[in-house]
């Protein structure tokens, strides 16, 4: 049985003017210890999906359908008090912006120990010792001395390390990292990814890594789901996704990954057009208006995920990218940035 | 921190110096003079002249100011022109009366205003939110003077539940080592007096508290709404903490920062409000004393009273800065 099994998850936001269809029937399975990337451009519903699974959507948002089974229990049906025992303990989350994700008026130590006290029933002194060890593990020097410091005394990269320490403090079975490196500069990004990779491997944690940067996913995740307008449009083992992207959107993402070895005259190609307005969802493929491969059928009928090439490669497209259009250079050994 | 406080206190000296000059000139520019208050209808050219001479008011202003400063330096605030009492003696009685009233009012405003603002934010756009908005608007726009009269009329005159004037019942015998009557009653362990003093405090304190209460409730509401949307609150929720812990430890601690700032700005409001409330409830504080002094052009009293108001304002802003530094680790004064 899969550790996490999401089916037909659907999230809507009711705003004053309209209903936003932020997440539209997404589904996936995740085994324990497995790492999954979720990739897509800004606003496609990555964060909202994760927050919905944990039951911490903003006020205006609500889950309108689907199930999120974790260890055989549907989290969406769980009363909030039961869900809180899982949140932060069995499933932990790291957020995008380390500058704002830590409470500015509490010490780092306090923000670490409160989780330990709540979930592991540690008393203050034990929790403090544990907190220092956690900071040590994520590579913060003189950890014990720094427990009394406040977030503003740490750099961005160090704060993200603190966030990671907080997230892994109860040895979760699943770690969701929502754009953990987006706000950091490139060298720090690589370090943070390294820390994440090592820790999840050591603790045999499952990882969901959310990002808009395919380059980030390349070195870390076994599998990658590509998301567009609140839907998964392609899913495959990461290596396959890089070598044989079948959805035109995936191809577009790959072409827009910045590469350190781009000395050749290749230029980055941004995907033309704007992301889908999620307030109305007309029939047909959401990507069709921006797509070079779109057919009449794409505009009339919504494509569902179906296998292509092999059993573990699925794509939702009526007219997948043919081999001839896939450039050579996109291989996993050369994953672009970082 | 200690250094910062000392520096602020040292700064007090030039501020008070400048202030004393301003007050001195200002008071003397008011229409009329003490001789009119003293002599009233019977004032003649000659008797007025005699009184002005007697009070030293015939001398050039710089000379008068020099003498005033010299007296101040030796702790002598001069005497009331009307009662001939030393200003300092009366200040010792009236200062605690006003401070006791003001602190009670601020406590009421805090104890009611913060939870009210918090609840309004939690029930954002709900009934309680709208109700508290309405109540705050009324609270802010209702003239204190009028409110004080209404409170007095309903609860003291009509219902007779509470006394209508003064600080303590005349029949109660209580020594006054501090002149803070609540404190005096505790020192004397006289609980009957304590309750009586409290009863006298309630109406004027409520009248004085309404505006700060409304403002504090509004600010708290806005701050809680804003903080609730902060990323670190989402982090706290993701940790699985109980909602009450999230609210207390993560939301309120941050939301209190703007509230503290606003409390500091309320001091001036409380002091002006005190002038009106004290008058309605015959509260023997600095406010009602000053009002009389203005009527009588009682220069020494006005000078002493205004300096006292300035001191309170300065000290409370210092207090606010200090508590702000305690609440906000990003600010450390050096
Ligand atoms: N509080 C909210 N109220 C209304 N709509 C919202 C709210 N939060 C998110 N949305 C909508 O949900 C959609 C998905 O947002 P989400 O934050 O999941 O995007 P994302 O893929 O994480 O993007 P990013 O890369 O910028 O983090 C957005 O298009 C947005 O319009
Ligand atoms: Mg996001």
């Amino acid at each position: 049985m899969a550790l996490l099994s999401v089916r037909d998850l659907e999230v809507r936001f009711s705003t004053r003017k309209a209903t936003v269809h932020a997440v539209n029937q997404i589904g996936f399975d995740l085994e324990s210890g497995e790492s999954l990337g979720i990739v897509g451009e800004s606003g496609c519903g990555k964060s909202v999906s994760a927050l919905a699974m944990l039951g911490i959507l903003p006020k205006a948002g609500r889950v309108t359908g689907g199930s999120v089974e974790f260890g055989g229990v549907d989290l969406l049906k769980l009363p909030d008090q039961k869900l809180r025992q899982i949140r932060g303990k069995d499933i932990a989350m790291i957020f995008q912006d380390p500058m704002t994700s830590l409470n500015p008026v509490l010490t780092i130590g306090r923000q670490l120990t409160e989780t330990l006290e709540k979930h592991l029933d540690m008393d203050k002194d034990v929790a403090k010792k544990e907190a220092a060890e956690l900071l040590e593990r994520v590579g913060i020097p003189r950890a014990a001395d720094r427990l009394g410091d406040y977030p503003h005394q740490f750099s961005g990269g160090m704060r993200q390390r603190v966030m990671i320490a907080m997230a892994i403090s109860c040895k979760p079975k699943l770690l969701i990292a929502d754009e953990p490196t987006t706000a950091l500069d490139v060298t720090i990004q690589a370090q943070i990814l390294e820390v994440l990779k090592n820790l999840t491997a050591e603790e045999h944690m499952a990882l969901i890594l959310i990002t808009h940067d395919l380059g980030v996913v390349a070195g870390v995740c076994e599998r990658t789901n590509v998301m567009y307008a609140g839907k998964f449009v392609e899913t495959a083992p990461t290596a396959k996704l890089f070598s044989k992207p079948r959805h035109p959107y995936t191809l577009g993402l790959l072409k827009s990954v910045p590469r350190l070895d781009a000395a050749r005259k290749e230029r980055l190609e941004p995907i033309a057009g704007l992301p889908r307005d999620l307030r109305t969802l007309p029939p047909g493929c959401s990507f069709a208006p921006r797509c070079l491969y779109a057919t009449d059928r794409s505009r009339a009928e919504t494509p569902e995920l179906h296998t292509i090439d092999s059993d573990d490669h699925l794509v939702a497209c009526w007219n997948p990218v043919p081999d001839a259009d896939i450039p050579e250079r996109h291989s996993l050994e050369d994953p672009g940035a970082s | 921190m200690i250094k910062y406080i000392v520096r602020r206190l040292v700064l007090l000296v030039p501020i008070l110096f400048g202030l004393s000059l301003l007050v001195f000139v200002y008071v003397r520019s008011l229409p009329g003079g003490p001789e009119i208050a003293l002599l009233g209808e019977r004032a003649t050219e000659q008797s007025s002249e005699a009184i002005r001479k007697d009070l030293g008011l015939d001398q050039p202003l710089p000379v008068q100011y020099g003498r005033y400063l010299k007296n101040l330096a030796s702790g002598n605030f001069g005497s009331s022109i009307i009662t001939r009492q030393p200003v300092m003696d009366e200040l010792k009685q009236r200062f605690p009366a006003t401070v006791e009233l003001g602190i009670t009012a601020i406590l009421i405003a805090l104890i009611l205003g913060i939870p009210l603002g918090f609840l309004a934010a939690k029930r954002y756009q709900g009934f309680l939110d709208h109700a508290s908005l309405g109540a705050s608007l009324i609270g802010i726009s209702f003239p204190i003077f009028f409110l004080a009269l209404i409170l007095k009329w309903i609860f003291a005159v009509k219902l007779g539940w509470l006394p209508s004037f003064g600080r303590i019942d005349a029949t109660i015998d209580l020594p006054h080592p501090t002149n803070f009557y609540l404190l005096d009653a505790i020192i004397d362990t006289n609980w009957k007096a304590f309750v009586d003093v409290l009863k006298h405090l309630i109406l004027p304190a409520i009248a004085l508290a309404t505006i700060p209460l409304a403002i504090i409730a509004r600010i708290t509401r806005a701050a809680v709404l804003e903080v609730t949307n902060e990323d670190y609150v989402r982090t706290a929720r993701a940790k699985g903490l109980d909602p009450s812990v999230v609210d207390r430890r993560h939301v309120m601690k941050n939301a209190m920062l703007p509230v503290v700032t606003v409390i500091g700005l309320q001091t001036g409001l409380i002091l002006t409000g005190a002038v009106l409330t004290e008058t309605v409830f015959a509260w023997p504080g600095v406010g009602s004393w000053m009002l009389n002094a203005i009527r009588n052009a009682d220069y020494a009293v006005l000078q002493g009273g205004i300096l006292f108001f300035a001191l309170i304002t300065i000290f409370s802003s210092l207090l606010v800065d200090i508590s702000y530094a305690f609440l906000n680790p990003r600010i450390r004064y050096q």
Side-chain angles (χ1 to χ4, degrees), chain A residues 219-296:
Chain A
V220 182
C221 299
E222 295 150 54
R223 233 190 132 69
T224 297
N225 290 359
V226 179
M227 195 169 193
Y228 187 78
K231 266 179 173 301
F232 289 147
V233 294
E234 183 162 13
T235 162
T238 308
K240 267 189 198 159
L241 198 79
F242 274 73
S243 58
K244 290 260 179 292
R246 288 306 185 185
H247 199 284
Y249 178 62
T250 314
L251 182 63
L253 282 180
L254 277 170
K255 285 186 173 167
S256 61
V257 171
R259 295 149 55 86
L260 291 180
D261 62 345
R264 290 155 287 179
K265 53 193 173 304
E266 301 166 24
R267 277 194 281 134
L268 293 182
E269 292 177 45
I271 303 175
L274 291 173
R276 176 99 222 154
D277 177 0
L278 295 171
R279 281 172 300 190
T280 53
L281 284 185
C285 173
S286 307
F287 190 58
R290 301 168 73 184
C291 184
L292 294 175
Y293 299 84
T295 61
D296 286 343

Side-chain angles (χ1 to χ4, degrees), chain A residues 100-101 103 111 114 119, chain B residues 231 235 237 239 249-250 254:
Chain A
T100 57
S101 294
N103 190 330
Q111 296 185 59
E114 66 179 355
H119 292 300
Chain B
D231 287 350
T235 307
R237 294 174 67 206
K239 286 173 172 177
R249 197 180 294 156
H250 292 271
N254 281 285

Side-chain angles (χ1 to χ4, degrees), chain A residues 63-75:
Chain A
V63 175
T64 47
S67 63
V68 177
E69 282 195 8
F70 178 76
V73 186
D74 187 355
L75 299 181

